[in-house]
């Protein structure tokens, strides 16, 4: 482990032992731009002395018709189970499903990346499917209660099998209320258009050391702070093979301002009925 990763590991473990800090959701909300309402101007024209003032309405200028914005492709919703192909590492190459953690101030292309001392793939934490095989769209995969062992290991195992990250078990869940921000969130949704995937994973949450870290895109309030990027991917309608990737910056907690780079792939199984 390099010195930088050891430093962040120590910080994470110390901070994780404390009571998790909540996020002020209001601080994440980007204020909307107000829309000014146009009104007809009325002015007074003075007549000759001794005559009454007469109000004259100013003529409204006709505004040029604005072209409506191009509507994004609606896409076809893919409702069902996105099964994970387990992550693998061989010959210095990573394949399958994995996550990497960018250190604060880094970039997706160059890092620097956090070195997971429990991963043979160093900066890559390899993902294995959980009891349900992967990520469901159109419904939630909630964590158990309690969500953690007394030592801080994540107990949820429906999406992925818990993996060691910095010596503590790490896992994933989705729920109607984001456990970090307390905001209501919709279930995951993914759509396909001409073989390209897009969607939202606002409910996507990671659990580690008795703390929750939202790792969705966009965030529960709809924002995309820092390195957070849209969910994108590919889909083969014949084989149902897919890839999904996105980046999500952590806001608050032991890994504040770190960013998760997610890559999951496998086979999509449509929900029947």
């Amino acid at each position: 482990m390099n010195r930088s990763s050891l430093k962040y590991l120590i910080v994470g473990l110390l901070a994780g032992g404390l009571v998790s800090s909540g996020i002020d959701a209001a601080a994440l909300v980007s204020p909307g731009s107000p829309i000014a309402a146009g009104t007809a101007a009325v002015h007074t024209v003075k007549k000759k002395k001794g005559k009454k003032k007469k109000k004259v309405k100013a003529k409204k200028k006709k505004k040029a018709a604005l072209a409506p914005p191009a509507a994004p492709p609606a896409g076809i919703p893919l409702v069902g189970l996105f099964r994970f192909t387990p992550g693998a590492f061989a010959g210095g190459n990573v394949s399958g499903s994995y996550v990497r953690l960018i250190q604060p101030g880094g970039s997706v292309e160059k890092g620097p990346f956090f070195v997971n001392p429990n991963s043979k793939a160093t900066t890559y934490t390899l993902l294995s499917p959980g009891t349900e095989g992967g990520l469901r769209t159109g419904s939630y995969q909630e964590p158990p209660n309690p969500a953690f062992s007394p030592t801080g290991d994540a107990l949820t195992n429906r999406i992925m099998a818990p993996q060691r990250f910095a010596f503590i078990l790490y896992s994933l869940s989705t729920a109607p209320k984001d456990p970090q921000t307390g905001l209501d969130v919709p279930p995951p949704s993914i759509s396909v258009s001409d073989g390209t995937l897009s969607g939202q994973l606002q409910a996507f949450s990671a659990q580690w050391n008795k703390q929750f870290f939202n790792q969705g895109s966009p965030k529960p309030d709809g924002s995309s702070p820092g390195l957070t990027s849209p969910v994108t991917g590919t889909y083969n309608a014949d084989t149902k093979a897919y890839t999904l990737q996105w980046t999500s910056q952590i806001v608050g907690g032991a890994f504040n301002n770190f960013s998760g780079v997610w890559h999951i792939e496998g086979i999509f199984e449509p929900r029947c009925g």
Side-chain angles (χ1 to χ4, degrees), residues 79-106:
V79 181
L81 176 66
F82 284 82
R83 284 195 172 275
F84 286 4
T85 294
F89 181 72
N93 297 314
V94 174
S95 60
S97 305
Y98 60 82
V99 61
R100 300 180 88 184
L101 201 59
I102 305 171
Q103 295 182 21

Side-chain angles (χ1 to χ4, degrees), residues 8-21 149-153 168 208-211 213 253-255:
Y8 285 109
L9 169 60
I10 293 172
V11 172
L13 293 174
L14 289 176
L18 302 175
V19 178
S20 305
S21 344
S149 74
T151 58
D153 287 337
I168 298 171
W208 179 84
N209 201 20
K210 299 184 180 181
Q211 296 178 77
F213 304 89
F255 288 94

Side-chain angles (χ1 to χ4, degrees), residues 141-214:
Q141 293 165 287
E142 299 183 49
N145 187 13
F148 300 95
S149 74
T151 58
D153 287 337
L155 300 178
T156 181
N157 62 356
R158 297 173 66 182
I159 297 175
M160 64 170 274
Q163 302 293 317
R164 289 279 171 198
F165 181 85
F167 307 105
I168 298 171
L169 288 178
Y170 170 86
S171 197
L172 300 169
S173 65
T174 60
K177 187 180 291 293
D178 177 62
Q180 186 184 22
T181 64
L183 297 178
D184 293 333
V185 286
S189 62
I190 301 294
S191 297
V192 60
S193 178
D194 295 327
T196 299
L197 297 181
S198 61
Q200 63 78 21
L201 296 176
Q202 289 171 272
F204 197 79
S205 176
Q207 292 89 62
W208 179 84
N209 201 20
K210 299 184 180 181
Q211 296 178 77
F212 291 90
F213 304 89
N214 183 277

